[in-house]
Amino acid sequence: MEIKKNKITAIIGIDNDLNIDEENLEKDFLTGMILNEYIKDKFKNLNNEKIDEAFRICLLNSEDKMKPLNVLSSNEIEKVELMIKLLENKDRIILSDFDNNFLEKEFNYFKALFKKMVSKYDKTVIFITNRLDNILDCIDFILVVENKKVIMELSAKDIYFDKIYDYTDMPDIIDFVKTARRKYSKLDDYIDIKELIKGIYRGV
């Protein structure tokens, strides 16, 4: 399986629970340890300023810092997992179903963060997911996996390729455009709802 460096890739068809980091963290999160103490203990070699910056980047505030691990919400756990990956400073950041627990505004912030990490800090971001709706506008490549083998390698410009959707649900915006085309509309391959609306008005 080839993962392009310094790009954002979505992988469809892998067990979403494959992320080993998450399995290890789940055991830790069952403890009653305070989040701030847990992070400082985990990263003893990092100074407090670096850790505080990671909290801020991952949208975790001073109140969140003082919460026991076992009372964190799903949303907060996702942020903590991301923060740990950032503090580990690995070249690859693997995110398993990361988009499930965020409101649109918050997730848009993280998408912008991932793009910056790729362009400015040479990171490679990998989404392991079975849905593309929320990440259409930030991915560079798509890998479709079946029986642990890559059966399709596509760039983001191929997002309208029908065969992808034998393996995952078709995003609503793509379904809408394809349906409109069957009714003789000439809409482009839109992935942004605002651009789609503009395109509809231009075609009226």
Side-chain angles (χ1 to χ4, degrees):
M1 181 187 303
E2 182 183 357
I3 304 291
K4 302 288 191 299
K5 291 183 179 180
N6 311 136
K7 299 292 182 183
I8 301 177
T9 298
I11 303 180
I12 300 166
I14 289 183
D15 183 352
N16 290 20
D17 294 327
L18 187 66
N19 195 332
I20 297 170
D21 293 335
E22 286 188 7
E23 291 178 4
N24 292 333
L25 287 171
E26 282 174 6
K27 298 173 186 175
D28 292 338
F29 288 158
L30 292 174
T31 72
M33 196 169 185
I34 299 300
L35 174 57
N36 193 40
E37 294 173 2
Y38 172 75
I39 295 296
K40 287 183 177 179
D41 185 63
K42 193 175 183 71
F43 296 98
K44 293 183 175 118
N45 59 322
L46 297 180
N47 61 46
N48 289 342
E49 187 177 337
K50 186 86 171 177
I51 291 173
D52 287 343
E53 181 185 18
F55 271 106
R56 180 185 59 77
I57 289 172
C58 293
L59 305 182
L60 290 161
N61 59 35
S62 55
E63 184 179 328
D64 297 325
K65 285 183 180 182
M66 303 313 296
K67 289 181 180 178
L69 295 175
N70 57 2
V71 303
L72 294 175
S73 67
S74 297
N75 174 287
E76 290 161 349
I77 289 172
E78 293 289 358
K79 293 175 182 177
V80 172
E81 290 176 349
L82 175 60
M83 179 177 62
I84 289 171
K85 293 174 194 295
L86 296 184
L87 289 171
E88 287 173 340
N89 199 27
K90 294 178 180 177
D91 291 336
R92 285 187 178 186
I93 296 173
I94 302 173
L95 304 164
S96 179
D97 264 353
F98 182 79
D99 60 312
N100 283 356
N101 298 302
F102 296 100
L103 297 174
E104 182 179 3
K105 183 178 179 180
E106 201 169 44
F107 191 63
N108 284 342
Y109 162 81
F110 284 115
K111 285 192 290 188
L113 174 64
F114 298 144
K115 289 178 181 178
K116 182 178 181 180
M117 287 162 56
V118 166
S119 63
K120 191 172 180 180
Y121 300 105
D122 296 327
K123 299 294 184 183
T124 298
V125 178
I126 302 164
F127 286 100
I128 298 175
T129 185
N130 282 320
R131 46 182 292 181
L132 295 172
D133 344 29
N134 295 333
I135 55 175
L136 287 175
D137 57 347
C138 76
I139 54 177
D140 300 301
F141 293 95
I142 303 164
L143 296 182
V144 179
V145 177
E146 186 175 43
N147 297 325
K148 299 182 180 179
K149 292 184 179 179
V150 176
I151 58 172
M152 276 185 269
E153 296 186 37
L154 307 159
S155 72
K157 68 181 181 182
D158 300 314
I159 197 71
Y160 272 74
F161 182 52
D162 284 334
K163 277 292 181 182
I164 299 172
Y165 304 108
D166 291 342
Y167 301 90
T168 185
D169 291 338
M170 185 178 291
D172 290 341
I173 189 170
I174 293 177
D175 187 31
F176 177 87
V177 170
K178 285 181 175 289
T179 300
R181 286 173 180 169
R182 287 195 291 272
K183 297 181 180 180
Y184 310 106
S185 170
K186 294 182 179 180
L187 290 173
D188 294 331
D189 288 355
Y190 291 107
I191 58 172
D192 181 279
I193 188 66
K194 293 176 182 176
E195 293 303 316
L196 171 59
I197 292 169
K198 291 178 187 176
I200 291 171
Y201 275 110
R202 283 195 295 268
V204 172

